[in-house]
Structures are given as structure tokens and as C-alpha cells.
């Protein structure tokens, strides 16, 4: 299997608080990996380290064979390969839907307006938001905003999509429409690393589930292994609480 992201002995501390301790794991090409764990266990920090929104305190992040924490590495270039979807959407509120999906392509990837527009429309159609290109974010529901955020990330044609609890800020009736889009992306073979509390979804779409507790990976394996037949007490306790 082709490793896209390979995390080795990753550590992250805020002051004396060790938030990630010796984290090791891999995301292979085309794989869907779900990261689960209680609030405060370090899941967001791990994603933020992977896209270098946080600087790791130690360890390696190997992207397609190269340690991106090496000084010589071009961080801007690296980041263009990662699409990030946040809990709070982080759309540009002053731009309409289409522009939200175009500006990054123009500024970062130096695409022409026409090319950026074609690509944006393609992904807005995939997430079912092509009827809303002129709407401003404030005119959209949470589920619609998150689908635009997903289209915006996809429009950059990233190699890996990172999701940090994409449905946690949504009203319950809107969770389904976002998970449906994510399921479709998984089926299409996108490489995805997803932090989620949606256990049913994790069981259905993941190739692998990683359970984190207090900054440590406690257990990882197939959804069957981790979610149905966990070996570790901490995993069992966590799953009992989330039922
Ligand atoms: P999760 O996403 O699993 O809920 P986080 O990664 O957000 O967990 O947080 C893990 C721990 O790191 C928490 O104790 C949190 O308070 C701490 N933490 C996260 N970001 C910072 C920061 N910028 N400064 C200090 N502590 C932080
Ligand atoms: Mg978090």
C-alpha cells in the first residue's frame, strides 16, 4: 500500500501540557481513516499538526516519503495537498458560495478565473449546492454551509481531505446530508482522515478506525476490530459512553 501520510513519534506540548505523546499512524492512498476519542484527547491538535496549523514539538510527518518538518520543506506547497473541513465551516461570510470556492484556487493555485469557476461548479454540483452559487453563507443552513465548505476544499484538488468533526455543530436533522456527501467521497476513493463522533458512520465508511485517549493512540484496526470487538478497556469504556 502506498503511504500518503506517515506520522512517526509525533509529540505536541503546550507549555508543560503534553497533548500528543508518541503518536504513530499511517494514512494510505484511497483509505478512509476515522479518528475517535473523548473531547480533549488531542484529535484536533493532531489534525492541526498534520496541516501545520500547530508546530509539533517532536517527531516526523512524512508526506509521500518526505519529512515535511525538515527546514528545507515548502510548507505552503505542502498545505495545498491537504483539504481541511472544520466544525465551524470557516466560510468567507462576505463572499457568495461560488466565490468561496474560487478564491483559494486563484490565489494559492494561480488558476484562471474561468478554470477556477469550472472546477468550483463541478464540486458544488457533487455536494448538491450548485443551485446556491449566489447565496451568501448567512442565507444557508448549517448543513448547506458545511457542504459548501467541503466543495471549497475539494476544489483545490487536494490529495488528502482532513475533517474535524464536520457534523458536530449541525442541528441533528442536517447531519445526514453532510454524512451522505462524505460517504460518496469515500466511495469515490478519496483519501480521508476524519475526526468524528458518528460511530455508525465510522463503522460503515472507514477502512481503519483509530482510538485516541489522553494524547495516545490506544487502539487501531478495522471498524469491526475497534468498534465491535475492542481489546482495550479504555476503548470499551469510551464506546459504552457514546452509545
Ligand atoms: P479534541 O479535539 O480531542 O477534543 P484538542 O486537540 O482540541 O482535543 O485538545 C487536546 C488538549 O490540548 C486539551 O486539553 C486542550 O485544552 C489542549 N489544547 C489545545 N489547543 C491548545 C492551545 N492552543 N493552547 C493550550 N492548550 C491547548
Ligand atoms: Mg476537537
Amino acid at each position: 500500500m502506498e503511504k500518503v501520510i506517515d506520522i512517526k513519534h509525533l509529540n505536541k506540548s503546550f507549555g508543560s501540557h503534553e497533548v500528543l505523546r508518541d503518536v504513530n499512524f499511517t494514512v494510505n492512498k484511497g483509505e478512509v481513516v476515522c479518528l475517535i476519542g473523548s473531547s480533549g484527547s488531542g484529535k484536533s491538535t493532531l489534525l492541526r499538526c498534520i496541516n501545520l496549523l500547530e508546530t509539533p514539538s517532536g517527531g516526523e510527518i512524512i508526506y509521500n516519503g518526505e519529512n515535511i518538518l525538515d527546514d528545507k520543506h515548502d510548507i505552503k506547497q505542502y498545505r495545498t495537498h491537504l483539504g481541511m473541513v472544520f466544525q465551524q465551516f470557516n466560510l468567507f461570510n462576505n463572499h457568495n458560495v461560488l466565490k468561496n470556492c474560487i478564491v483559494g484556487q486563484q490565489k494559492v493555485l494561480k488558476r484562471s478565473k474561468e478554470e477556477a469557476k469550472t472546477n468550483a461548479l463541478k464540486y458544488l454540483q457533487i455536494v448538491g449546492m450548485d443551485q446556491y452559487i449566489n447565496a451568501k453563507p448567512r442565507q444557508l443552513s448549517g448543513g448547506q454551509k458545511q457542504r459548501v465548505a467541503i466543495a471549497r476544499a475539494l476544489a483545490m484538488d487536494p490529495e488528502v481531505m482532513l475533517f474535524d468533526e464536520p457534523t458536530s455543530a449541525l442541528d441533528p436533522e442536517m447531519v445526514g446530508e453532510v454524512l451522505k456527501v462524505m460517504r460518496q467521497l469515500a466511495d469515490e476513493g478519496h483519501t480521508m482522515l476524519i475526526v468524528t463522533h458518528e460511530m455508525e458512520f465510522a463503522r460503515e465508511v472507514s477502512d481503519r478506525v483509530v482510538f485516541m485517549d489522553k494524547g495516545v493512540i490506544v487502539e487501531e484496526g478495522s471498524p469491526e476490530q475497534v468498534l465491535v470487538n475492542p481489546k482495550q478497556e479504555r476503548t470499551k469504556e469510551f464506546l459504552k459512553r457514546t452509545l
Side-chain angles (χ1 to χ4, degrees), residues 9-167:
H9 308 294
L10 196 76
N11 294 301
K12 175 65 182 175
S13 297
F14 294 106
S16 60
H17 184 189
E18 283 188 306
V19 173
L20 298 175
R21 279 179 292 161
D22 196 26
V23 169
N24 294 279
F25 81 103
T26 302
V27 181
N28 295 305
K29 196 171 177 64
E31 211 175 25
V32 178
V33 179
C34 279
L35 183 59
I36 62 171
S38 308
S39 173
S41 56
K43 305 178 302 295
S44 294
T45 304
L46 178 55
L47 284 199
R48 292 170 59 82
C49 281
I50 291 174
N51 64 18
L52 299 179
L53 290 172
E54 298 284 359
T55 310
S57 311
E60 294 177 15
I61 298 174
I62 316 284
Y63 174 73
N64 285 333
E66 288 186 61
N67 183 7
I68 50 109
L69 299 177
D70 281 350
D71 288 341
K72 63 174 170 54
H73 230 87
D74 183 346
I75 290 173
K76 267 195 193 153
Q77 174 68 21
Y78 164 69
R79 280 215 188 98
T80 64
H81 301 298
L82 307 178
M84 182 84 185
V85 176
F86 301 89
Q87 190 174 333
Q88 297 295 345
F89 328 122
N90 296 8
L91 293 176
F92 305 115
N93 288 319
N94 52 330
H95 292 334
N96 68 23
V97 164
L98 185 61
K99 191 146 187 209
N100 261 280
C101 298
I102 285 179
V103 282
Q105 297 187 66
Q106 287 183 289
K107 282 195 179 149
V108 180
L109 302 178
K110 311 294 177 208
R111 287 181 180 159
S112 72
K113 190 167 183 191
E114 271 319 298
E115 192 187 358
K117 188 174 168 186
T118 306
N119 209 38
L121 288 172
K122 172 175 135 188
Y123 287 107
L124 284 167
Q125 194 170 13
I126 287 174
V127 303
M129 286 301 292
D130 51 322
Q131 301 297 310
Y132 295 85
I133 54 174
N134 295 316
K136 288 280 180 67
R138 67 171 178 279
Q139 298 169 300
L140 304 176
S141 71
Q144 291 174 327
K145 277 189 255 199
Q146 194 59 298
R147 286 188 282 142
V148 172
I150 292 171
R152 180 179 63 172
L154 288 168
M156 302 292 284
D157 296 308
E159 184 166 21
V160 184
M161 288 285 286
L162 307 175
F163 294 85
D164 193 357
E165 298 196 29
T167 60

